[in-house]
Amino acid sequence: MKRAPVNKIIPFSNVDGPGNRTSVFFQGCPFNCLFCHNPETIHLCRHCGVCVEKCPAGALTLDAQGQVRWDSGRCVQCDACIRLCPHDASPKVRWMTVEDVMGEIRRAAPYIGGVTTSGGECTLQNDFLIDLFTEVGKLGKTCLIDSNGSFDFERDPRVLAVSQGVMLDVKAVDPAWSDQLISYPRDTVLKNLDYLLRVGKLYEVRTVIFPDRDQENEATVRYVARHIGDGCNYKIIRYRPFGVREKYQKLLGEFTAEADYAEKYAQLARDLGAAKAYVV
Ligand code: SF4
Ligand code: SF4
């Protein structure tokens, strides 16, 4: 039976797509974005044991096979384990089946319009998503994919057939800035931008605006706005240092990007035809 690593499930979220939705966060991401605000979702636990002794609630143990076990009943959600993990991982990941996840979705079902899968990078679990969305569809709910764009949707469009669309991060288009910021070639992301637009499956594009990075911000916003026009939402996100690893805060900024500064880019996007650009 297929299992996937799930970092957490938020039963009711109003920031992960339209309306009230259940958000499923999968563990693991091929990017290593400097500004990631939940870096504990990047890697799977290596069972190094560093966090076990530091747990104030005795919720972590090492079993006879040297695997870290998490006792959710004892856990007080202090996140000490996450803060001190040297591997950008979490000991609280659950390896769940589609039925396990559906159990949680069904409990929330009377109050939600749909389900959004996120991460980490949920498309690393493509086959799992296809099965999950097929089940969610039977409940009459919509399915959205929150993605960093590393998965080539044109090469394997099966998951699009069982979902309503993708919320795509376009973090950087300048090659040098992209290499520095996300440690991953941006080509697939930009290819996805074109493809998802073409097939009507691009629900939203998101770009983070960084303080004092005028040239880089503008290049990305211009590129995206010219591509999407009024074809989908364009969310301009203010960089926030909260959760960002300390060493990268020094590089990117220790303060939130000003609202006016971000609005300048939203206006630029609207001037270029992206009518549905707005700041969050
Ligand atoms: S969560 Fe991190 S610190 Fe804890 S055992 Fe896993 S890799 Fe080690
Ligand atoms: S969040 Fe981590 S450190 Fe805190 S109680 Fe739970 S398992 Fe222990």
Side-chain angles (χ1 to χ4, degrees):
M1 197 175 294
K2 273 188 211 102
R3 286 182 184 269
V6 174
N7 179 281
K8 66 180 170 202
I9 297 177
I10 298 179
F12 308 114
S13 165
N14 58 10
V15 295
D16 294 303
N20 202 16
R21 310 182 72 76
T22 294
S23 293
V24 184
F25 294 80
F26 290 87
Q27 185 76 10
C29 180
F31 287 10
N32 183 19
C33 300
L34 303 193
F35 61 97
C36 182
H37 58 85
N38 51 3
E40 74 279 4
T41 64
I42 295 176
H43 297 301
L44 290 173
C45 174
R46 297 184 190 178
H47 302 282
C48 69
V50 166
C51 59
V52 172
E53 283 182 11
K54 304 289 184 190
C55 173
L60 299 174
T61 49
L62 269 178
D63 70 13
Q65 285 73 44
Q67 303 286 295
V68 173
R69 299 282 168 209
W70 173 58
D71 182 341
S72 60
R74 284 182 167 226
C75 178
V76 294
Q77 301 295 351
C78 67
D79 283 350
C81 50
I82 285 169
R83 283 193 297 276
L84 60 80
C85 175
H87 303 297
D88 296 328
S90 166
K92 300 190 280 180
V93 169
R94 293 178 289 165
W95 284 85
M96 300 177 80
T97 64
V98 168
E99 249 328 288
D100 293 336
V101 178
M102 284 306 298
E104 301 203 16
I105 291 171
R106 283 195 193 97
R107 278 199 288 282
Y111 314 104
I112 59 170
V115 171
T116 297
T117 56
S118 183
E121 175 53 30
C122 62
T123 60
L124 289 177
Q125 313 300 332
N126 186 49
D127 289 347
F128 189 95
L129 292 192
I130 292 168
D131 292 352
L132 180 67
F133 289 169
T134 302
E135 293 304 311
V136 172
K138 290 177 189 168
L139 299 178
K141 308 292 179 187
T142 60
C143 298
L144 287 175
I145 302 161
D146 179 340
S147 175
N148 63 19
S150 58
F151 180 81
D152 189 336
F153 288 101
E154 186 169 17
R155 192 176 50 80
D156 184 353
R158 289 175 300 154
V159 73
L160 296 179
V162 285
S163 63
Q164 277 61 48
V166 176
M167 299 186 288
L168 182 72
D169 289 342
V170 179
K171 300 165 200 276
V173 298
D174 174 76
W177 176 230
S178 179
D179 287 349
Q180 190 183 346
L181 196 63
I182 66 177
S183 317
Y184 198 88
R186 78 209 199 299
D187 307 22
T188 309
V189 179
L190 301 184
K191 183 183 170 212
N192 277 323
L193 180 69
D194 281 336
Y195 174 71
L196 293 168
L197 255 181
R198 197 162 11 105
V199 298
K201 291 283 185 174
L202 191 59
Y203 174 76
E204 174 180 285
V205 177
R206 289 90 59 92
T207 295
V208 173
I209 294 298
F210 297 92
D212 302 324
R213 293 279 180 175
D214 300 0
Q215 212 178 317
E216 294 89 344
N217 292 333
E218 186 171 332
T220 308
V221 170
R222 279 187 180 278
Y223 184 97
V224 172
R226 284 189 173 132
H227 271 72
I228 64 175
D230 63 359
C232 73
N233 298 325
Y234 189 16
K235 199 185 266 185
I236 303 283
I237 301 173
R238 296 160 68 193
Y239 164 80
R240 293 168 173 87
F242 179 75
V244 173
R245 288 161 286 187
E246 229 173 276
K247 56 187 172 183
Y248 298 136
Q249 279 189 25
K250 292 193 189 338
L251 185 72
L252 295 170
E254 291 169 309
F255 301 99
T256 300
E258 297 285 344
D260 288 354
Y261 183 68
E263 180 53 36
K264 186 178 85 175
Y265 292 104
Q267 187 58 52
L268 171 66
R270 291 191 292 270
D271 290 345
L272 292 168
K276 298 178 205 163
Y278 64 101
V279 174
V280 293

